[in-house]
Amino acid sequence: MTAEIIGTGSALPMLAVNNRELEGIVDTTDEWIKSRTGIENRHIAVEETTTSLAVKAAEAAIRNAGVSAQELDLIIVGTVSGDLCFPSTACQIQKALSAPNAVAFDMNAACAGFLFGLAVAEAYFKASMAKTALIVGAEVLSKMMDWKDRSTCVLFGDGAGAAVVRASDAGVLSMVQGSDGERGGALTCGNRPVNNPFVSNPFRLEYAKMEGQAVYRFAVRTVPEAVRQAIRQAGIEMSEIKYFLLHQANIRIIEAVAKKLEQPMEKFPTNLQKYGNISAASVPILLDDINQSGRLQKGDKILLAGFGAGFTWGAAVLEWQR
Ligand code: UT7
């Protein structure tokens, strides 16, 4: 028993903001952002919320899969930027979709959120606890940014990606996950501070902070190892992979991974130029781009990999069944 992706969807906020527009907000340049990251544009939520984007992506994935919301018995949302502390984004999606038969919960595995969601769904399938799952990565990271901090605010964007996944005999061939909490201090965002009658703690909102180079080194070292391990576990050759769909943090990271794996860049589709880094939404949006553009055929082998805050990372090899 494994998991098969049977439909994908995505949603982006209306407002697109290019690098030049950011030049008027922080001390940065289009040239710096493009040359250091590859990012040219990102979408920023104005009217949209994490939940509204997640629902839109989920509806598209359900349509693409040709299933009804009633068939869903599991909804998992990877997010670090839910609109509410509770109820979860997943429970809000359940309500919006009218999916009463689903167990719904959020997971925080940052940019590996979609990969962790896929692993949990597969485990539910193996335990006969579910048959049809909706996995969503949804973020409004613009609200987590300090818009005076040029080292972070230019990198991230907002959006959501989703996949409907079904218990099947074919689909996911292997899955690798890892976490390293020891080094987690390199990428953090504070939550609400303790504030009660017994503690005097002036409320101060905290924003995302990143030691960019430490995260960069982690990614370039860990991702190729995880990819190799996933391919080994799948029992296939690296050359059999048609596309490597990596978390869209930085084109230089993707190029470094491609070089380490001795694979051509053409096998590494990217959309970070248009969307920036959307954490948990990055991988499912890229998968949806590839799927909707008709670039996947039955029998194609693809690799998905996410990595980020925690640190967390995950990789999966899939054989496309549609
Ligand atoms: O999604 C989670 C995973 N996240 C990642 O994978 C991100 C990993 N890290 C990176 O992608 C890169 O480290 C960054 C893109 C974040 C930064 O690139 P870098 O080449 O490591 O630059 P840096 O942090 O070493 O900064 C170089 C210079 C600094 O100036 P000085 O000290 O050399 O004078 C920064 O202050 O660039 C400066 N700088 C900027 N300049 C213009 C930092 N941000 C900006 C900016 N515009 N937006």
Side-chain angles (χ1 to χ4, degrees):
M1 176 66 61
T2 184
E4 175 194 344
I5 294 182
I6 60 169
T8 62
S10 56
L12 290 155
M14 287 279 287
L15 179 69
V17 177
N18 66 35
N19 292 346
R20 291 227 176 272
E21 292 169 86
L22 295 183
E23 290 178 356
I25 296 171
V26 282
D27 180 15
T28 192
T29 59
D30 173 47
E31 201 281 325
W32 190 95
I33 303 171
K34 258 199 313 229
S35 63
R36 298 283 176 140
T37 71
I39 297 165
E40 297 170 18
N41 199 71
R42 72 283 296 140
H43 288 248
I44 302 285
V46 178
E47 299 288 328
E48 301 87 352
T49 64
T50 304
T51 306
S52 73
L53 291 165
V55 169
K56 217 168 151 191
E59 286 169 339
I62 288 171
R63 255 194 324 274
N64 186 239
V67 299
S68 74
Q70 285 69 36
E71 288 175 67
L72 300 176
D73 45 21
L74 179 63
I75 299 175
I76 303 175
V77 179
T79 186
V80 296
S81 56
D83 301 315
L84 304 174
C85 287
F86 47 83
S88 66
T89 307
C91 283
Q92 294 177 76
I93 294 177
Q94 176 184 33
K95 179 181 169 196
L97 295 180
S98 300
N101 303 317
V103 169
F105 55 89
D106 290 359
M107 280 181 24
N108 179 341
C111 309
F114 185 79
L115 271 301
F116 277 44
L118 192 57
V120 173
E122 195 203 32
Y124 264 65
F125 296 160
K126 285 194 161 127
S128 301
M129 288 168 70
K131 285 198 177 89
T132 309
L134 171 71
I135 306 170
V136 184
E139 306 285 9
V140 172
L141 298 173
S142 55
K143 69 189 173 197
M144 328 284 284
M145 296 299 127
D146 175 353
W147 283 88
K148 294 192 184 73
D149 177 6
R150 67 178 182 173
S151 73
T152 50
C153 73
V154 305
L155 305 174
F156 297 92
D158 303 334
V164 177
V165 181
R166 197 164 248 177
S168 169
D169 293 334
V172 172
L173 301 180
S174 69
M175 210 117 58
V176 167
Q177 291 173 274
S179 305
D180 180 3
E182 283 292 334
R183 292 189 288 162
L187 180 48
T188 63
C189 184
N191 205 332
R192 301 152 72 100
V194 172
N195 194 15
N196 63 40
F198 312 99
V199 182
S200 157
N201 198 348
F203 186 80
R204 197 164 42 85
L205 214 48
E206 287 200 26
Y207 294 100
K209 292 190 198 108
M210 178 163 70
E211 293 166 29
Q213 290 192 5
V215 181
Y216 187 98
R217 282 195 300 273
F218 144 72
V220 169
R221 193 167 45 239
T222 309
V223 177
E225 283 168 15
V227 169
R228 282 200 190 94
Q229 200 185 335
I231 287 172
R232 227 178 9 253
Q233 267 175 228
I236 63 166
E237 297 296 322
M238 184 90 64
S239 57
E240 292 180 59
I241 300 288
K242 182 171 183 183
Y243 294 124
F244 295 82
L245 305 183
L246 266 48
H247 170 49
Q248 301 288 293
N250 188 327
I251 193 73
R252 287 160 50 217
I253 293 177
I254 297 170
E255 285 167 354
V257 171
K259 194 168 169 205
K260 279 198 172 180
L261 297 174
E262 298 177 340
Q263 294 296 302
M265 266 307 277
E266 300 81 78
K267 284 184 160 194
F268 291 73
T270 57
N271 61 16
L272 59 86
Q273 297 82 354
K274 293 187 288 182
Y275 307 144
N277 176 347
I278 325 180
S279 191
S282 212
V283 170
I285 291 177
L286 184 61
L287 177 63
D288 187 47
D289 280 358
I290 301 299
N291 184 26
Q292 301 299 342
S293 61
R295 292 159 75 185
L296 290 175
Q297 262 97 51
K298 188 170 165 55
D300 283 348
K301 295 189 181 71
I302 58 173
L303 181 136
L304 313 181
F307 52 89
F311 293 142
T312 54
W313 61 94
V317 176
L318 318 180
E319 185 170 330
W320 199 253
Q321 299 297 317
R322 299 267 105 193

